[in-house]
Amino acid sequence: PNPRIGPPAMTCTSRDLGIAIASVLATLLYVRLDVGGMPRTVLGRPKARGERAFLLIVTLHFPDPSRSAALLEAWRAAADYCIEREPFLYAYEVAQSDKDPRNYTILERYRSKHDYLGVHRKSSAFAAFRPQMRAMQKEGAVLVGGSSYVETGIGFT
């Protein structure tokens, strides 16, 4: 007898093929569009236009990079607070430079400047974080810069 080599033969009807193609197309369409027709990121998040959010972009430079850990831990505590209690806060992230590990940028993205100046700046998270950063500034452990902006609404988030 001649033993069969390889996987068993599979049969596929045109109906099976049609169902498979429809399934793939439906999946691609679901990933690409949300209910409102806006494209999504590869993570499944809908992209948005015209939010015109208020941005606070802060730069941090640590002459001694070992001093960054304490401030980053304080930032984490503030972020934990904000993600649960500030629905008007669209983004709250800190990024480390890929060119100089002593440099960081903070991005805060609010529904409005009023939300930042009002609720956020009066929060317990801000009250805990800001004095720590200010003390490190006075010591020269961190140099802080940055500015605020309002989105134009031309691009997308």
Side-chain angles (χ1 to χ4, degrees), residues 3 8-9 13 17 24 35-36 39 43 51-52 58 61 75 84 88 91 98 100 114 116 120 125 128 136-137 150:
T13 67
L17 185 58
V24 168
V35 176
L43 297 176
E51 291 175 335
R52 299 188 49 87
V58 179
H61 174 77
W75 179 264
E84 294 293 330
F88 54 83
D98 62 344
D100 185 343
H114 176 78
Y116 166 69
H120 179 75
M136 290 182 76
Q137 283 178 271
V150 175

Side-chain angles (χ1 to χ4, degrees), residues 48-53 109 150-157:
R49 280 202 148 140
E51 291 175 335
R52 299 188 49 87
R109 193 167 174 267
V150 175
E151 293 175 348
T152 62
I154 295 170
F156 67 90
T157 58

Side-chain angles (χ1 to χ4, degrees), residues 12-60:
C12 181
T13 67
S14 59
R15 180 179 180 275
D16 294 334
L17 185 58
I19 290 171
I21 290 171
S23 177
V24 168
L25 289 175
T27 300
L28 290 173
L29 187 61
Y30 173 77
V31 169
R32 171 85 174 107
L33 301 174
D34 69 3
V35 176
M38 290 300 293
R40 291 181 175 267
T41 70
V42 295
L43 297 176
R45 296 181 184 138
K47 295 180 181 180
R49 280 202 148 140
E51 291 175 335
R52 299 188 49 87
F54 174 75
L55 301 177
L56 188 62
I57 299 176
V58 179
T59 58
L60 306 173

